[in-house]
Amino acid sequence: MDFKDFKLDDSGLLPVIVQNYKTGKVLMLGYMNEEAYNNTLKMGKVNFYSRSRKTQWLKGETSGNFLNVVSIKSDCDNDTLLINADPVGPTCHTGSESCFFNDIVKSDKEESAQILFTLQDTINQRKEDIKKLEKMPTKYEGSYTQYLLIEGTDKICKKIGEESAETIIAAKNDDKEEIICEASDLIYHLLVLLNDRGVKIEDIFSKLNNRHK
């Protein structure tokens, strides 16, 4: 779409919502003029118009915390954009992942879809930390995730087998709380295995999306 095809606000600007393409978490709200819109399309990085400075700017041009464009959608009235982005570093100038962090009403359900990516990032960090270790940790010291990654595929697969069996037993016993605990352990160990084998959650989601079509 050309910029002239949008319905602009009274200032001649287009509101833009940016969310993390992996988690769906809303990162920020900004505004675009025609220059910012065209530069976003050309560069593949989100540009905005600063209402306070009266100028177009590239998000991350000074901090390095760019918002790489994955997709752009217009709403039903063509008066707002939704950009799915792959953020480089924190989006907010405060150092927060998102500009929306002041809770007014909070629910645990909000975090449910994001925890898998949080765990994936943590496991990735533990793998990086292994390079700094002077000796291999045991199961009972340091990071358990590091221990599993150092032990390798066979150890991780053994743990998945154990957790799978315990999940089955909990289900057969019709113990809901035990099912939750054992299934959580199973998912965690599966994430470690995916990391060990170089598979990302995004790869799994892509396959699942193709299966339901």
Side-chain angles (χ1 to χ4, degrees):
M1 294 180 67
D2 292 328
F3 194 74
K4 62 180 176 59
D5 297 323
F6 296 113
K7 298 176 183 177
L8 308 180
D9 65 13
D10 293 339
S11 300
L13 300 174
L14 183 64
V16 180
I17 300 167
V18 183
Q19 67 179 23
N20 187 311
Y21 88 102
K22 292 189 293 187
T23 66
K25 186 170 188 175
V26 176
L27 300 176
M28 67 175 293
L29 167 68
Y31 294 84
M32 287 184 179
N33 62 357
E34 185 170 6
E35 182 183 10
Y37 176 72
N38 290 335
N39 281 340
T40 296
L41 296 180
K42 182 171 69 173
M43 300 171 62
K45 297 181 185 297
V46 180
N47 287 250
F48 291 110
Y49 178 79
S50 171
R51 294 174 296 170
S52 60
R53 292 184 282 120
K54 308 297 183 184
T55 185
Q56 191 258 199
W57 63 289
L58 168 65
K59 176 73 177 78
E61 60 187 349
T62 56
S63 66
N65 297 329
F66 299 103
L67 293 170
N68 294 316
V69 175
V70 174
S71 67
I72 302 177
K73 303 177 189 293
S74 178
D75 75 339
C76 56
D77 295 321
N78 286 332
D79 62 6
T80 305
L81 290 185
L82 173 64
I83 297 182
N84 281 290
D86 186 7
V88 178
T91 297
C92 184
H93 72 280
T94 64
S96 176
E97 174 191 4
S98 166
C99 293
F100 296 93
F101 54 80
N102 294 313
D103 293 324
I104 297 176
V105 177
K106 183 174 175 61
S107 170
D108 291 339
K109 294 180 180 179
E110 183 182 14
E111 305 296 331
S112 58
Q114 300 172 24
I115 187 60
L116 292 179
F117 291 99
T118 300
L119 282 172
Q120 177 174 258
D121 290 343
T122 300
I123 293 168
N124 285 335
Q125 185 58 55
R126 295 295 181 267
K127 176 177 280 187
E128 289 299 313
D129 291 343
I130 288 174
K131 301 174 184 177
K132 306 173 187 177
L133 296 176
E134 296 181 359
K135 65 182 181 67
M136 185 183 76
T138 69
K139 180 179 178 180
Y140 305 102
E141 67 181 22
S143 167
Y144 176 62
T145 302
Q146 289 176 346
Y147 167 76
L148 288 175
L149 290 171
I150 291 172
E151 287 291 297
T153 307
D154 288 348
K155 181 67 174 182
I156 300 168
C157 288
K158 180 180 177 181
K159 289 299 299 182
I160 287 178
E162 293 173 0
E163 300 300 344
S164 297
E166 290 173 3
T167 302
I168 293 170
I169 293 171
K172 294 288 287 182
N173 291 337
D174 196 21
D175 188 332
K176 184 176 181 179
E177 287 303 315
E178 192 64 19
I179 292 173
I180 292 172
C181 290
E182 298 301 343
S184 297
D185 287 343
L186 177 58
I187 291 171
Y188 158 75
H189 285 91
L190 180 58
L191 289 174
V192 176
L193 180 64
L194 293 179
N195 180 282
D196 177 70
R197 297 291 85 190
V199 178
K200 294 183 178 181
I201 298 173
E202 296 92 314
D203 301 326
I204 305 299
F205 283 177
S206 177
K207 180 65 67 175
L208 291 174
N209 282 329
N210 289 331
R211 285 187 177 180
H212 77 71
K213 292 179 181 179

